[in-house]
Amino acid sequence: MQEQVNILAIETSCDETAAAVVQNGREVLAEQLYSQADIHREYGGVVPEIASRSHVEKLPHIVPAAIDGAGGKEQIDAVAVTYGPGLVGALLTGVSYAKALAYAWGKPLVPVNHIAGHICANYISHKELKPPFICLVISGGHTQIVKTLDYTSYETLGQTRDDAAGEAIDKVARVLGLPYPGGPNLQQLALAGDSARYEMPRVFKGESHLDFSFSGLKTAVINMLHRMDQAGEAYKKEDVAASFLKAVADTLANNTFEAARRQGMDVLAVAGGVSANTQVRQAFEARAAKEGIKLYFPEMKYCTDNAAMIASAGYYAYMDGRRGDMTLNAKPVLELL
Ligand code: KG4
Ligand code: ZN
């Protein structure tokens, strides 16, 4: 068996154009990332068509820079790429680029599920972490509690029935007048607020399933703001942000720790953009300390979309013999299996 396996990965599922080379799924040799946040800010959210065009422009700069950073194409054993879930046009730009590279170099092509990538971000940040463990994936598009069975197979234990946590956070941020991207801005506002100021609905508490619902919580906050605005009632946005994020964090923690308890597992990881959130980290850390659970978060830069996490997932998929061919297509909707 080969001792060192270097995977080049390309990630273009949303508004980050990213490429990275990672060794044996854990060591980042080179990474490049271009965030389109400044472009989408004036529209208040990601505009899919603009995202695709920007990826097409940036890929020929970002990918070669990552390859050079790793010592050239001779160092690369396979090309991994995110093929779903995500924005179809955005995904297609990365898939096409990866297919072209793999074909031109005569190297294997490895399709990667974006959600699996988020989970694998923890392998880069924590060299000792091994499956099985429970992982909560919280991103702009997904909220799911996953059991990692091994490095390439997963079982979903619970998921959102409506909005993803990040989606609800971004909506509330928008209603509070904060610029895109909402999550980090809402967090900053909340840090100066009182999280006990407003009572928030805690949905699905104590039920037998482990699913989430964030739409009701989001609507409750938006209705509360409208009511106070109409009544001319003074309020501090900081307190609304803090109370809302506390409710989100508590809900996420309740179901995830319950999943760990039911599975009899004492290792828990969190991943995805919302895992960068201070309130979420605090809620999970408090519970983990109390319940004697070993808790992992990726480093900040590997919480949000990046290519190092795709290269890590790509490595494990490669070792498992998974390959794509020239018919590989983007899959905007893709289950994690
Ligand atoms: O994983 P990600 O980068 O992209 C998707 O796969 O969706 O997650 C993006 C989401 C957005 O909703 C963003 O507002 C949220 O993660 N996010 C945060 C923070 N950083 C990113 N939410 C709360 N606090 C943060 N610090
Ligand atoms: Zn993501």
Side-chain angles (χ1 to χ4, degrees):
M1 201 172 82
Q2 228 177 310
E3 243 174 55
Q4 314 285 10
V5 176
N6 296 337
I7 305 287
L8 165 70
I10 298 174
E11 154 64 39
T12 61
S13 67
C14 190
D15 63 341
E16 262 90 28
T17 314
V21 180
V22 170
Q23 188 162 83
N24 295 350
R26 303 266 182 173
E27 293 296 333
V28 179
L29 303 183
E31 58 189 326
Q32 294 287 326
L33 185 140
Y34 170 76
S35 169
Q36 303 173 3
D38 288 343
I39 303 176
H40 298 291
R41 186 165 295 121
E42 69 175 289
Y43 305 97
V46 178
V47 183
E49 181 60 22
I50 295 176
S52 310
R53 283 167 191 266
S54 177
H55 287 310
V56 169
E57 251 174 55
K58 298 295 177 191
L59 278 168
H61 302 282
I62 294 288
V63 181
I67 298 165
D68 288 349
K73 73 172 197 283
E74 299 72 27
Q75 306 301 319
I76 291 160
D77 296 292
V79 183
V81 64
T82 306
Y83 75 115
L87 302 170
V88 65
L91 287 165
L92 265 176
T93 66
V95 168
S96 308
Y97 202 97
K99 285 203 290 198
L101 272 189
Y103 182 75
W105 292 350
K107 293 189 179 173
L109 177 70
V110 183
V112 173
N113 180 310
H114 182 78
I115 304 297
H118 273 303
I119 296 169
C120 292
N122 278 290
Y123 296 137
I124 295 172
S125 297
H126 308 289
K127 310 297 180 214
E128 75 284 11
L129 178 64
K130 292 187 175 80
F133 56 90
I134 301 290
C135 187
L136 170 70
V137 184
I138 30 178
S139 70
H142 292 82
T143 301
Q144 71 196 88
I145 302 172
V146 174
K147 182 176 179 182
T148 62
L149 304 172
D150 55 41
Y151 285 104
T152 52
S153 39
Y154 306 94
E155 183 188 342
T156 296
L157 304 173
Q159 57 194 319
T160 185
R161 296 188 170 189
D162 39 58
D163 291 5
E167 197 178 352
I169 288 172
D170 291 344
K171 288 254 182 63
V172 169
R174 200 165 163 167
V175 173
L176 284 170
L178 301 175
Y180 171 86
N185 290 319
L186 193 70
Q187 166 180 315
Q188 280 317 108
L189 197 66
L191 288 174
D194 172 9
S195 64
R197 176 69 184 80
Y198 296 103
E199 187 73 34
M200 295 283 164
R202 302 286 208 269
V203 277
F204 283 137
K205 200 176 166 184
E207 298 194 29
S208 61
H209 60 76
L210 293 166
D211 285 348
F212 299 100
S213 166
F214 288 104
S215 157
L217 175 59
K218 172 195 74 183
T219 309
V221 176
I222 294 172
N223 287 347
M224 184 180 85
L225 287 168
H226 283 164
R227 190 184 45 73
M228 293 194 294
D229 282 338
Q230 274 175 354
E233 203 178 304
Y235 60 87
K236 278 174 69 188
K237 286 183 179 182
E238 289 83 351
D239 293 342
V240 177
S243 303
F244 168 69
L245 280 178
K246 174 87 169 62
V248 171
D250 286 349
T251 306
L252 290 169
N254 280 343
N255 290 23
T256 310
F257 281 84
E258 176 61 14
R261 194 190 65 77
R262 287 186 198 176
Q263 295 287 325
M265 301 199 64
D266 60 0
V267 181
L268 215 158
V270 189
V274 183
S275 68
N277 182 265
T278 304
Q279 287 82 3
V280 169
R281 288 185 173 225
Q282 284 171 352
F284 275 73
E285 275 156 10
R287 285 285 293 267
K290 208 166 79 189
E291 297 177 26
I293 299 262
K294 183 88 185 112
L295 179 65
Y296 294 95
F297 285 95
E299 292 153 74
M300 287 298 177
K301 67 173 174 175
Y302 298 133
C303 289
T304 44
D305 291 349
N306 64 88
M309 69 184 197
I310 303 302
S312 175
Y315 167 77
Y316 293 111
Y318 173 83
M319 297 306 280
D320 194 41
R322 300 186 190 193
R323 302 288 183 266
D325 61 24
M326 290 303 125
T327 65
L328 181 68
N329 205 351
K331 291 260 165 56
V333 179
L334 181 65
E335 289 295 313
L336 180 70
L337 296 171

